[in-house]
Amino acid sequence: MALTQTALVGAQLLLLPLQVRQWGAASTAQWSAAIAMASIMSASDLGLKAFGHAALGEAARAGLPPDASFTSIWAALRLLMGSIALLGVTSAWAVSTLGGAPVPVWLVWLVVAFAIEGLLLARIMYMDTLGLMVRAEGCYAMMLWLRLLTAATALKAFDASPATLAAIYASSALIGLAAQSFALRGHPALRLTAGGFGAITVDTFWLLRYSMAYPLANWCRISLPVLVLSTVAQAALVNAYVALRAVFGFLRAVVLHVGRYMSVQFMEAAALRRRRLLLWCIGSVVLCTAFALGVVLDAGALLSRWVPGISIAGYEWMSLSFSLAAPFFACEILLLTWMRDGGEQHVAMLHFVYVLLALLAASACLATKSLHVYLVAWLVVEVGFGATVLMRTRQYGVALPVFRTAASGIALVLLCFGAVQGTELLRSGQGFAHLSQRLAFFAALSGLMLLQLRHCAREPLGTTEGGA
C-alpha cells in the first residue's frame, strides 16, 4: 500500500513540473482538465463493487464457487463499466464528427485508460476478500510505477506530447490488467470473460441507489474543481490546484487508511473503542493542522521551486482553502466507522447532499466567473460536510472534543495566514487600496468560517458524550 500511495502522489508531483517545462502552463492545464474529465471512468462502477464481499468470502472459506448473488454483481459491474466507457468514446466521436468541435485523439486514449483502470480497481477489492492482498496491491503498484517511470522518461528524454503520454497511460493500464488476470488464474469467477449475465436482475442495479453516492462525491471532490477552474482561472492557477491537491491528497489518504484500520478495531474492541477512536481522531486533526500550518508558513516558496510558475495572484487563497479544510479530514475516520456500524444509508445520503452542494458551488462559479466565489463556496461545502459528520456521529462519544480541536486548528490557520500575508504586504510596499481589498476578503472569509463553526457548536454535539 505504501508503494501504491507513493506512486500515486509521485505521478502528480513528478510529472507536473516536467509537463509545465515541456508543454507550458496552458497545455499542462488542458491535460489536467482532460484527466479530470476522463477520470469519471474510474468511478463508472458507481460503487457497485462494494457489494458481493460476503458471498465471495463465504464461498472462498467453504472451498465452493461463488453463488448467484456475487456472479450477478460481477456481471453487472462489467456490463455497467463497459457501457459507460462505450458511451464516453461514442460521445467523443459524436462531438468531433457531428458537432464540428474536434476532440483530441489522446482524450479518447485517456477514457480507455481510466475505464481499464476501473476494472482493475474493482477486482482489487475482491482479491482482498480472497486473501490475495499482496498480489492485488503488487499488480496495481507495478502498473502505477511503470506508468510513472515511462512517462517521466518520455517527457524528460524525448519531449513526449500529450498523445504519447495518453498512449502510455492506456498501455500501462492494459499491462496492469493482464498481470492481474495472471495472478487470478486460479479463480475463474473473477475472469473478465466469466458469464453470469443471465443472473442480473433489477434488484442488482437497485443497489446503486446507495452505492453510487461515494464515487460521485469523490469525483466531485477531486476532479470537478479542475474542470471549473480551467474555465475561470489562469492556467498557472489550475496547475497550482493540481499540485496542492496532490500534497493534501496524500495527507487525506493517510487519514483514510487510519480510518479503515480504526473502523475495524472499533467494532472488535468495544471496551476500549471510545479511547482508541478519540486518540486516532484527535491525532489526525493535529497532524492535518500541523501540515496546513506548514503550507501557510511556506507561502508557496517550496512548491514554486518544484512546479515553476504557480506562485501567482490567487495562489495564497487557494492554499488557504485547502489548509482550512484539512483539520476536518479526521471526520473520514468517523464516517468509515459509522458505515461499518450499519449507517450505510445515512452515509449515502450525506454524500448525495455533498454532490448537490458541490455542483451548486460549481454553478455559482461559472455564473459569476469568480475564483474567489468558488473558493469560498468550496470551503463552506468541505467544512460543512465535516461538521455534519461530527453532528451525525455523536453517538460514539468523541464528536465534541474532535470538533473543538478542529475549530482550534482552523483558528490557528487563520491567524497564521493573516500574519504571513500582513508581513508580505508590508514588505512589498503595495498601496493602501490593494491592502484594504485583501484585508476585506480575508475578514469576510474569517467571519464566514467563524459563523459556520459557531452554528455547528450550537448543535447538541455533546448530548451523548457521557453515556458512551
Side-chain angles (χ1 to χ4, degrees), residues 78-436:
R78 287 172 287 154
L79 179 62
L80 181 65
M81 298 176 75
S83 300
I84 293 178
L86 182 61
L87 177 63
V89 173
T90 305
S91 299
W93 173 84
V95 170
S96 181
T97 304
L98 304 178
V103 175
V105 176
W106 54 266
L107 178 58
V108 178
W109 281 113
L110 286 178
V111 170
V112 172
F114 280 102
I116 296 172
E117 190 171 335
L119 274 174
L120 193 147
L121 290 171
R123 290 206 296 190
I124 283 178
M125 181 171 287
Y126 295 132
M127 289 176 74
D128 288 347
T129 305
L130 296 173
L132 303 174
M133 183 179 296
V134 175
R135 294 186 191 179
E137 293 296 334
C139 292
Y140 190 52
M142 181 273 295
M143 182 205 75
L144 291 175
W145 278 104
L146 177 64
R147 175 182 295 174
L148 172 60
L149 296 176
T150 307
T153 303
L155 283 168
K156 187 68 177 177
F158 302 104
D159 298 335
S161 65
T164 302
L165 215 60
I168 291 174
Y169 272 58
S171 58
S172 61
L174 275 173
I175 292 172
L177 192 65
Q180 190 186 63
S181 298
F182 181 78
L184 282 169
R185 60 191 182 279
H187 301 274
L190 287 175
R191 290 176 181 168
L192 297 177
T193 56
F197 294 99
I200 299 176
T201 63
V202 175
D203 292 337
T204 304
F205 289 106
W206 186 240
L207 296 170
L208 294 174
R209 71 190 190 278
Y210 297 131
S211 66
M212 67 189 300
Y214 177 75
L216 290 178
N218 198 42
W219 184 83
C220 286
R221 175 177 287 119
I222 296 174
S223 299
L224 179 61
V226 178
L227 295 177
V228 174
L229 292 175
S230 64
T231 62
V232 301
Q234 302 177 49
L237 276 179
V238 177
N239 299 330
Y241 174 85
V242 174
L244 286 169
R245 182 188 64 181
V247 172
F248 280 92
F250 179 74
L251 181 65
R252 193 181 196 104
V254 171
V255 175
L256 279 170
H257 287 311
V258 170
R260 291 189 182 99
Y261 168 78
M262 191 59 222
S263 62
V264 176
Q265 297 295 314
F266 185 80
M267 295 298 109
E268 294 178 351
L272 300 175
R273 61 186 185 180
R274 182 184 181 276
R275 184 183 304 174
R276 291 181 177 179
L277 190 60
L278 181 62
L279 176 64
W280 284 105
C281 287
I282 295 295
S284 297
V285 172
V286 172
L287 172 65
C288 294
T289 301
F291 192 90
L293 288 173
V295 170
V296 169
L297 288 171
D298 177 68
L302 185 61
L303 203 58
S304 62
R305 293 179 183 177
W306 185 249
V307 184
I310 66 170
S311 290
I312 61 174
Y315 169 82
E316 67 274 15
W317 303 114
M318 191 177 294
S319 64
L320 176 63
S321 300
F322 274 99
S323 300
L324 289 175
F328 278 99
F329 286 178
C331 294
E332 297 288 349
I333 299 176
L334 290 170
L335 203 62
L336 289 170
T337 301
W338 194 16
M339 288 180 64
R340 288 188 181 271
D341 201 19
E344 293 91 346
Q345 296 182 19
H346 302 287
V347 173
M349 289 305 301
L350 281 180
H351 280 129
F352 276 128
V353 173
Y354 177 89
V355 171
L356 176 62
L357 293 177
L359 292 175
L360 288 175
S363 301
C365 176
L366 295 175
T368 60
K369 300 294 181 181
S370 171
L371 171 67
H372 294 88
V373 168
Y374 185 62
L375 291 178
V376 171
W378 177 85
L379 183 58
V380 169
V381 173
E382 287 292 328
V383 174
F385 180 78
T388 303
V389 171
L390 285 176
M391 287 187 285
R392 298 297 301 275
T393 57
R394 55 185 180 269
Q395 69 270 22
Y396 299 124
V398 301
L400 186 57
V402 173
F403 176 80
R404 287 173 174 170
T405 308
S408 300
I410 286 179
L412 279 174
V413 170
L414 285 171
L415 288 173
C416 183
F417 180 82
V420 170
Q421 292 301 311
T423 303
E424 288 294 325
L425 285 173
L426 291 175
R427 184 182 302 171
S428 62
Q430 295 181 4
F432 177 76
H434 183 74
L435 175 63
S436 61

Side-chain angles (χ1 to χ4, degrees), residues 11-28:
Q12 298 177 72
L13 290 182
L14 179 61
L15 295 183
L16 184 61
L18 293 176
Q19 290 169 324
V20 172
R21 291 185 177 95
Q22 297 295 333
W23 301 344
S27 296
T28 304

